[in-house]
Structures are given as C-alpha cells and as structure tokens.
Amino acid sequence: AGSSSRVPPAAAAAAAGSGSGSGEVAGRARRPRGGRARRRAPSMSYLLPHLNSGWEVDQAILSEEDRVVVIRFGHDWDEQCMRMDETIAGVADKVKNFAVCYLVDISKVSDFNTMYELYDPCTVMFFFRNKHIMIDLGTGNNNKINWVMGDKQEFIDIIETVYRGARKGRGLVVSPKDYSTKYRY
C-alpha cells in the first residue's frame, strides 16, 4: 500500500497498460489511438521544425551564420510535401553540421508567396548568411527545387554543393547532377 501512494494513479494505469506481458488483447483494444498515429505517419513534417510567421522565417535566415538554411515551402497536408518532408527528415541529422532544415506552410505564412513565386505544391529553397543561394539544376529555374526528391543521397549532395559554393561567396552554384531531362515540363 505504501508503494502505491508514491505512484500517481494515472502513471500506474499507464504503466499497467504499456506492459509487454500477456495483455495483448487489451493492447489491441486501444489501437484506435495508434490508428491516428498511423494516419499521420506519411507526413514527416512533425519531425522537422516549423516556422509559423514571416518574422520566424526572417530570423531563421538572419540568425544562421555558418550553416545553409534549407526551407521547404508548401502545405503539410500535400502528398508531394509529405514525400519531400520524408526526404528532408531523413537527411536532417546527416547534414546538421553544415545545414539546418525548416518547414513553412504557405497557407499560414503567405508573406513570401509572391516574393519567391511559391506557386508549386512543394518548393525547397536555400539561404546562406541572409542571402538566397541559387542552384543551376538544368531545369531553367535556378531559384528553387520544385519537385519531390526521393533520393536522400542526391539531396545531401545538393545541400553540400550549396554549402561549399556559398562559403566561397558564390550566389549561384551548379548542381552535381543535371535534372533537365529527368522531369519534362
């Protein structure tokens, strides 16, 4: 009786429900809560930091001195953005020494829609020391990536190329891979 007074009733109930004993049937009864998490799983946006105002976007770009700021502009509910978010979330830890990644929902933060021509469902842009870094991908649009990149290593290579070029003072870097024929517009 003395040990139960030290454990709050809610914590005791949670510990009893999460045990890996023979309570499989009880675990299945609580699956609707797990079902919500499963619906959310395709969207990796909850793993990455969001910028929820124009001021936060400006501060993220201004405050980073030594790393590239990678910003995905789009909608969290959009399928293309979800796939791109999965790629970004997969590389964020690997590039943390030279890049930081953020997400911006353009329906909530519309300050940059006209300035950066954010008309595509999903757009990735790069900034370094308060400067927009353009990248020649062979598509004709040097300002941004406006398609889903599924290959994480390709995306890491692009971020690294942007970082190396930006550190040398270049405002336009050439992509390590030519994307001109991969996506036909």
Side-chain angles (χ1 to χ4, degrees), residues 14-15 30 37-38 46 52 56 58 62 80-81 91 98-99 102 104 111 114 136-137 145 147-148 161-162 170:
R30 284 188 294 271
R38 200 172 328 132
Y46 62 92
N52 297 312
E56 286 183 16
D58 286 338
L62 286 167
Q80 289 183 21
C81 286
V91 305
F98 57 92
Y102 295 105
V104 175
D111 304 5
T114 305
D136 183 0
L137 299 155
I145 296 174
W147 66 87
V148 176
T161 301
V162 168
R170 297 186 181 133

Side-chain angles (χ1 to χ4, degrees), residues 45 48-51 71-72 76 85 88 101-105:
S45 65
L48 296 164
H50 280 72
L51 303 174
I71 301 180
R72 190 274 293 152
D76 292 340
D85 292 349
I88 295 171
C101 304
Y102 295 105
L103 307 180
V104 175
D105 191 329

Side-chain angles (χ1 to χ4, degrees), residues 83-103:
R83 293 195 331 248
M84 191 65 195
D85 292 349
E86 186 174 348
T87 302
I88 295 171
V91 305
D93 194 48
K94 295 175 184 168
V95 300
K96 67 182 177 187
N97 292 331
F98 57 92
V100 59
C101 304
Y102 295 105
L103 307 180

